[in-house]
Amino acid sequence: MRRWIWIAFVYFALQALSRVLVSPAPELDEAEQLLWTRHLAWGYGAQPPLYTWLQWAVFQITGPSIAGLALLKNLMLLGTYAALAWAAWPLVGSAAGLVAAAMLWLPQIGWESQRDLTHTVLATACAALALGVFVRLMLRPRPALYLAFGAAVGFGLLAKYNLVILHALLVGTALVSPTLRDRVFSRWTLAAVAVALLVVLPHAAWALQHAAEVTRGTAQKMALDHGDGGFVARLAGVWSAVNAVVSMVALWGLVFGLMVVRPAWRAARAGAAPAQPPQVRRAVLVYFGLLALMLVAMALAGGVTHFKGRWMQPMLFLVPLAGWLLLPAAPPAAAVRRFELATVVLAALLLVGITLRAPLAGWKADPDELNEPVGALAGELRAVAPRVDTLVVSPPRLAAGLRPQFPQARLLLPAEAAAARGVTVYVAAGEDAADEARTLAAQPGARPHEWTLLPLYTRDARQARRYAALVIRRD
């Protein structure tokens, strides 16, 4: 397993380096963190605060920067792989590292998590850690493990609210299993609940005070049906859940089935012993049976009409481990080596694909967030304002992109413009950038500086973007 941990370390180090070198502009979720980490709070909109707290702590070391964003993201991803390997070790032994590496075959983890996710990445890391503690608690219950599971539950809820479903599925699996049920009915369970409540209570108090803000975001993301769509809309919710699950596990299922499951079946027919005891296989099937029931209930009874892959990720990240535990017999060594090689090749392809995404978007004249020319714009702004005390920027994504370029300046959004002090630069983007800059500065007769800049990696002049800025001293 140690070999796989080192491979994962090198892989995520290269991913972090690639992110820093490819573009100085932030993705959507990265931009969100650059704005939220301007201050600490008990909550941030519809999201719990743990990722932003961690990002704020990293920025105290690195400054607000793309390097700081990439460092935290890839540490969380590395932690997820290490935690799943740790969870798998008591069950599959030396195959634990490969089981964890197989998460790369899940597109939501291998691609999307690296591309532009934050809270979901942390939630998956917390889920893997909770799973590791849970496995050991079920195998050899000890007071310290109960307390650790309670802490994992609490911090998991501070990462993403839907982790409560994973925790419920794990406890439900234990309750359904006669040999595990007594682990739940222990006096130390109350201590675990107390630890979880202690961790989450300050944020819970904030969330109750901002309940409308928190629930509105969740309802929008899950497209809750309040009865207008009728039963057909709720059936569509069931189909959405099925589609989200299939799209996440299909590639892994195909490759794992062909390269590992088929040889394992042949070994079983030849008389090889079962790979796992029946109670382990039963627990895996119970977990996924409960998950299926929960998804159907959320669609039919709860009115959830849309399930995103990122929402399912903290419940499905353990699919590679589940697949290994359900094997009818230990796969032949040759089959394992082929699957190892295929996984390493996939890792290399993912690294290349993530690295080339922004350049290819620019070359195809289809630029996205990473192609925003924030470095060139910052150079133009420094030319007209060598000293910048405050930046007032619209839109918010551009504001986030300029924060790493001016780490010592105070960054304000348009609604906060009244707090501007010192040499203030008002920056706007878009076809009406000049008018927007005048509006931001409340200077309707001013003549702003204007620029037309090409997105990164783009040579097509038709893709040029307009920017404008006013420099004003505020006392």
Side-chain angles (χ1 to χ4, degrees):
M1 185 174 77
R2 188 176 301 173
R3 174 169 60 97
W4 280 106
I5 296 298
W6 277 108
I7 291 174
F9 178 84
V10 171
Y11 174 75
F12 289 115
L14 291 174
Q15 286 281 17
L17 180 63
S18 165
R19 176 64 190 90
V20 172
L21 296 178
V22 163
S23 170
E27 289 272 19
L28 184 62
D29 281 12
E30 293 174 334
E32 186 178 70
Q33 291 304 313
L34 282 165
L35 294 178
W36 282 352
T37 51
R38 292 179 297 157
H39 61 274
L40 289 174
W42 286 114
Y44 300 87
Q47 297 288 2
L50 185 56
Y51 196 97
T52 303
W53 290 349
L54 294 173
Q55 190 67 77
W56 178 89
V58 170
F59 282 167
Q60 302 312 299
I61 301 170
T62 66
S65 61
I66 297 300
L69 292 165
L71 176 63
L72 179 60
K73 162 80 75 69
N74 284 279
L75 282 176
M76 291 299 101
L77 288 169
L78 176 61
T80 302
Y81 284 76
L84 183 58
W86 180 66
W89 179 260
L91 302 173
V92 301
S94 60
L98 177 58
V99 165
M103 282 193 293
L104 286 176
W105 293 100
L106 306 178
Q108 192 65 34
I109 296 179
W111 180 265
E112 288 297 323
S113 290
Q114 191 64 250
R115 186 186 68 84
D116 184 31
L117 293 178
T118 51
H119 295 90
T120 301
V121 170
L122 176 59
T124 309
C126 290
L129 183 61
L131 177 65
V133 175
F134 181 80
V135 167
R136 283 159 176 78
L137 179 58
M138 294 300 103
L139 294 175
R140 295 183 61 186
R142 299 193 304 276
L145 289 174
Y146 280 95
L147 299 179
F149 187 69
V153 169
F155 284 110
L157 294 178
L158 291 180
K160 206 165 181 67
Y161 300 126
N162 67 327
L163 268 190
V164 69
I165 296 173
L166 171 80
H167 306 143
L169 290 173
L170 294 177
V171 173
T173 300
L175 287 173
V176 172
S177 305
T179 57
L180 303 178
R181 195 174 299 139
D182 62 321
R183 269 72 159 172
V184 179
F185 295 111
S186 164
R187 66 180 183 273
W188 283 100
T189 298
L190 293 177
V193 172
V195 170
L197 290 175
L198 187 64
V199 171
V200 81
L201 193 58
H203 170 68
W206 177 92
L208 287 174
Q209 294 175 349
H210 300 79
E213 185 179 359
V214 172
T215 56
R216 182 171 59 249
T218 302
Q220 290 173 347
K221 290 178 181 179
M222 304 195 73
L224 292 181
D225 175 65
H226 300 289
D228 297 337
F231 188 67
V232 173
R234 301 189 180 216
L235 282 179
V238 175
W239 172 248
S240 176
V242 172
N243 185 60
V245 172
V246 171
S247 63
M248 184 165 178
V249 305
L251 177 62
W252 166 84
L254 176 64
V255 176
F256 186 73
L258 292 175
M259 303 188 74
V260 180
V261 176
R262 286 180 63 188
W265 272 111
R266 287 196 292 266
R269 286 197 297 267
Q276 296 291 333
Q279 58 267 32
V280 172
R281 297 161 60 89
R282 190 180 306 117
V284 172
L285 295 176
V286 166
Y287 174 90
F288 286 102
L290 292 175
L291 175 60
L293 289 175
M294 182 269 303
L295 294 175
V296 171
M298 290 181 66
L300 297 183
V304 178
T305 60
H306 183 64
F307 291 85
K308 290 185 177 181
R310 68 178 64 185
W311 189 89
M312 306 287 289
Q313 183 172 317
M315 280 72 78
L316 293 177
F317 77 96
L318 47 68
V319 161
L321 173 59
W324 206 274
L325 295 176
L326 292 175
L327 288 174
V336 173
R337 286 194 296 270
R338 286 193 294 271
F339 188 58
E340 288 179 339
L341 178 60
T343 302
V344 171
V345 171
L346 174 67
L349 292 175
L350 287 170
L351 178 60
V352 172
I354 289 289
T355 302
L356 291 180
R357 191 168 60 88
L360 287 176
W363 297 335
K364 292 188 301 181
D366 185 25
D368 63 8
E369 292 96 340
L370 290 181
N371 299 99
E372 190 80 42
V374 292
L377 177 59
E380 300 289 356
L381 294 175
R382 292 189 190 96
V384 299
R387 171 189 167 187
V388 179
D389 297 314
T390 305
L391 280 169
V392 180
V393 187
S394 178
R397 187 167 53 80
L398 178 60
L402 288 176
R403 189 183 176 203
Q405 303 295 324
F406 297 90
Q408 304 305 320
R410 185 184 186 192
L411 177 66
L412 300 175
L413 297 179
E416 305 159 339
R421 295 292 183 272
V423 178
T424 302
V425 181
Y426 296 86
V427 186
E431 291 301 315
D432 300 321
D435 290 338
E436 177 70 12
R438 282 189 283 262
T439 301
L440 290 175
Q443 299 284 331
R447 295 184 59 184
H449 302 276
E450 296 186 65
W451 305 277
T452 300
L453 303 174
L454 282 175
L456 286 177
Y457 307 109
T458 300
R459 296 182 180 178
D460 185 351
R462 293 172 298 179
Q463 300 297 323
R465 298 173 178 178
R466 299 181 66 179
Y467 303 89
L470 275 171
V471 182
I472 299 174
R473 182 172 185 86
R474 300 290 188 185
D475 295 325

